Amino acid sequence: MGAAPASRDVTSYGMGLAAPLALFFLLFFVAPLLQLLWLSLHNDTAGLHWGLGQYLHFLTDPFSLGVLGSTLLLGAEVTAVCLVLGFPIAWLYQRVGPRLQTIIILIVLLPLLTSVVVRTFAWIVILGRQGIINATLQSLGIIDTPLKLLYTQFGVVIALAQVQMPLMTLPLITALGRIDPNLDDASCSLGAGSWRTFFRIVLPLSLPGVIAGCTLTYAAAITAFITQSLVGGGQMLFMPMYLYQQASTLQNWPFAAAISIIFLLAVLAVVSVFTTLGRLSRGYGWA
Amino acid sequence: MILNRRSLMTTALTLGAMKAFPGLSFAQARPLVFATFTGSWEEAHKAVLVPAFRKANADAAMVLDPMLSVDQIAKVNAAKANPPIDVMLHDPGPALVAIGQDLVEPYPVEKSAYYKDLIGEAQEPMGPAPFFQVVGLTYNPEAVKTPPTSWADLWKPEFKGRVGITNLNSTLGTGWLVEIAKMRGGSEANVDPGFKALEELKPNLAAVAANPGALATLFQQGQIDISPGNFNAIQILKARGVPVEFVAPKEGAIAFKTTIHIVKNSPNRELAFKLIEAALTPEVQTTLMNPPYLIVPTNSKVTMGGEIARVLAKDTAELKQKFVFQDWKKINEQRSAWIERFNREIKI
């Protein structure tokens, strides 16, 4: 059997199999991105004069920076809400019987099967002046005049948290499932209380899931054009709407391209912070 | 794309013909593509304009491609030499952008049988206006007992927290801002008084909708009771049983010409012209004027009737007298600055 190449390392793989996908990405992801970058490096809308004018315009304008800041903050708020509400569900999932597990997974997945537009409209119905919340509070006599819930930062955060919740819960369920339940018992038998066990054992070991969930939720929340504009309304400006306004309404493509690149870089920065945390956590979890 | 036996046959025959005569280019084999607006416009055009065009042109192959004006411009701009669209539909602002970017052809006026019958305001040599959109006051008659009569009514203290507007992304929002600027002594060139008026309107504002569609939803939800609104959009809500009424304010309802254009370098120039001709005929315009579409006709030979005659105008003369047309050339010059200013100043 001398046909098998003896020098071939078993850990090396043929790159040929990955080539079609790589080509696909080059053609439909990298190339348009480069085109976007090229477009953003022009000072005029016709694309004749090269320059960094669009970036300067954005980075020296407190208003634009404010839009970027509030978008990144919105992502942080939504991620925090998802984590606080999603963790107990994922934890519960690992502690209940198979029948309840099916129900929980169904509840977590169900929203994914409904269009984002439908879910967002449902939130308009819930948060409106005569919506479910206001109607209930009024009939209970707790408030006299309807609360303003729609078109507020609060409303956007709540609606986005619900819409993006599966992205947080699913990685958490996976991460918590990998933790050996015996570790809990061991911790307790060594005299740690439940909270101590949670903070010293469960939380550190689930950190990879937390990081993955946070990254997904964060990225999805800050780019959620539909929910942001419908629940936030026309006077609350976040990056996706700002981009749309410049590109579509004003046909100012170079500035819109610059906004996209800046937004992309900002998101990449946040995501890399998350991954760095993830790498640190892995060391911590194994220590 | 509408796929049926006939269009499959046409395609098969065309492909066969191309094989037999290799000189035929693929571009000529493409059906006529008409980019209309989404929603009620698409419905109206599918039900009335397309059948009329097919009937007059031996079932010529055509496709409706509904999208926003700005997206039409972007698409044609991306492939100027071989545009994917033959006929574009535009609000006044985008129409000027399309003309300015050299994306449309002059309308062959001398060949047209109906152009001269259009009322003066609709005779646009770069693309006539087969339809008008009208913006006035819309209100919920269950919550607002005395019908409003003027734009100024929006500032009344009784409407505290009940007024809705749209931001300036839409033709509706921008046109309305110009109108309230005019009401306070401004003009298309000077909207400062308009922004000042907006500042004073803030206590009354319940919502700034991201687009006119979202504004309609707010009426359904009872989130707002009064707003500047589009006549056609209100008719759709009314037909669905939402309590909402339209009035033309005494300052004059704002009329937006919706113009229709032949795209430059279109491979289907002749059919494009015929589609536009069909849109200008009194027959098509009369059908579109009647329920459920209620689109304001521009052909002076059409006799106004029904809801349009009741709320808007009985005839062309009254229409001209009651409608306000705005100078969108002036508006476009500063629109981006206004949008930026609105972004900064209007926080509620």
Side-chain angles (χ1 to χ4, degrees), chain A residues 77-87 160-161 164-165 168 217:
Chain A
E77 288 171 355
V78 173
T79 311
V81 172
C82 282
L83 184 61
V84 169
L85 297 180
F87 205 101
L160 274 176
Q164 317 296 358
M165 189 65 84
M168 177 66 88
T217 318

Side-chain angles (χ1 to χ4, degrees), chain B residues 23-149:
Chain B
L24 277 176
S25 78
F26 185 71
Q28 281 162 309
R30 168 164 84 64
L32 179 77
V33 178
F34 170 33
T36 176
F37 299 154
T38 47
S40 59
W41 289 87
E42 182 193 356
E43 282 171 38
H45 289 154
K46 196 187 267 175
V48 182
L49 180 54
V50 173
F53 164 78
R54 287 228 169 96
K55 205 172 148 209
N57 294 288
D59 271 330
M62 76 159 294
V63 179
L64 270 180
D65 194 1
M67 65 184 114
L68 294 172
S69 274
V70 286
D71 297 332
Q72 298 177 22
I73 292 176
K75 266 198 170 179
V76 172
N77 227 334
K80 278 184 197 169
N82 185 17
I85 299 169
D86 302 301
V87 180
M88 290 200 278
L89 196 64
H90 284 314
D91 279 351
L96 288 169
V97 173
I99 294 168
Q101 296 186 353
D102 198 23
L103 302 179
V104 302
E105 289 209 349
Y107 194 66
V109 173
E110 65 294 339
K111 262 169 60 188
S112 169
Y114 306 102
Y115 186 83
K116 59 180 190 318
D117 294 336
L118 301 181
I119 68 167
E121 283 76 6
Q123 295 192 9
E124 292 278 352
M126 291 306 287
F131 322 103
F132 279 147
Q133 294 187 63
V134 186
V135 169
L137 284 159
T138 53
Y139 66 99
N140 176 348
E142 286 173 7
V144 179
K145 293 297 173 204
T146 355
T149 56

Side-chain angles (χ1 to χ4, degrees), chain B residues 189-260:
Chain B
N190 171 27
V191 294
D192 284 347
F195 273 103
K196 217 169 147 265
L198 271 186
E199 191 63 39
E200 292 165 26
L201 186 64
K202 276 184 189 174
N204 279 14
L205 281 183
V208 179
N211 54 61
L215 198 65
T217 319
L218 294 176
F219 271 105
Q220 271 171 309
Q221 301 297 334
Q223 189 80 14
I224 57 172
D225 289 328
I226 185 164
S227 79
N230 186 300
F231 177 73
N232 295 91
I234 283 315
Q235 300 312 321
I236 297 166
L237 282 185
K238 256 176 102 169
R240 289 182 190 148
V242 178
V244 60
E245 281 292 341
F246 178 96
V247 284
K250 65 169 192 270
E251 293 85 4
I254 316 168
F256 299 128
K257 284 177 269 198
T258 304
T259 48
I260 190 164

